[in-house]
Amino acid sequence: MVDLSQYLPILLFLGVALALSSAFVILPMIVARLTGAHQPTPEKLTEYECGFPAFEDSRSQFDVRFYLVAILFIIFDLEAAFLYPWAVSVFHLGWTAWFSMMIFIVELALGLVYAWKKGALEWE
């Protein structure tokens, strides 16, 4: 016979999680109904950016260069995220870790030079 009492803490945890998640979804809806926030005015439905209305349609596509610059930023941000823990522990890891990081930095530098030569960093 299997003793199911050992699963009671898991069941209680799931019950509390379900109750809290339901409360976080349902309570704001109830408060919005009670305070009248569910009936927005036309002014509340307008787009609002930086203190003035938008110049063009909010669904217009961004230029591809915007995404390219964002991806390059993420790549070099991740480089910094990998570089700090490596710098803290490089003396304990030895020469293998140093050479591995140098290869990593050279690869990223080559990628930066390639993006620079292709004009990916130029913004008009």
Side-chain angles (χ1 to χ4, degrees):
M1 186 76 183
V2 177
D3 183 24
L4 296 178
S5 65
Q6 62 187 355
Y7 293 107
L8 184 63
I10 296 172
L11 184 63
L12 288 175
F13 178 77
L14 289 175
V16 169
L18 183 64
L20 283 175
S21 61
S22 299
F24 285 138
V25 170
I26 294 171
L27 285 179
M29 292 180 192
I30 293 171
V31 171
R33 289 280 177 191
L34 294 177
T35 61
H38 69 286
Q39 298 173 348
T41 62
E43 290 82 19
K44 288 184 180 180
L45 294 176
T46 59
E47 297 91 9
Y48 187 76
E49 298 175 3
C50 303
F52 53 87
F55 292 124
E56 52 189 48
D57 186 24
S58 61
R59 294 184 190 100
S60 64
Q61 293 182 347
F62 285 100
D63 192 7
V64 174
R65 289 177 291 180
F66 173 79
Y67 297 109
L68 187 58
V69 169
I71 289 171
L72 289 172
F73 171 76
I74 290 172
I75 288 171
F76 290 105
D77 186 44
L78 286 175
E79 176 189 5
F82 283 129
L83 197 58
Y84 180 74
W86 169 81
V88 170
S89 62
V90 69
F91 295 115
H92 300 290
L93 298 175
W95 285 104
T96 306
W98 189 83
F99 284 119
S100 299
M101 185 54 76
M102 292 305 115
I103 291 171
F104 178 68
I105 290 174
V106 166
E107 288 176 356
L108 283 174
L110 288 174
L112 177 63
V113 169
Y114 177 77
W116 198 339
K117 292 286 184 183
K118 287 291 187 180
L121 302 176
E122 295 176 8
W123 194 263
E124 296 174 1

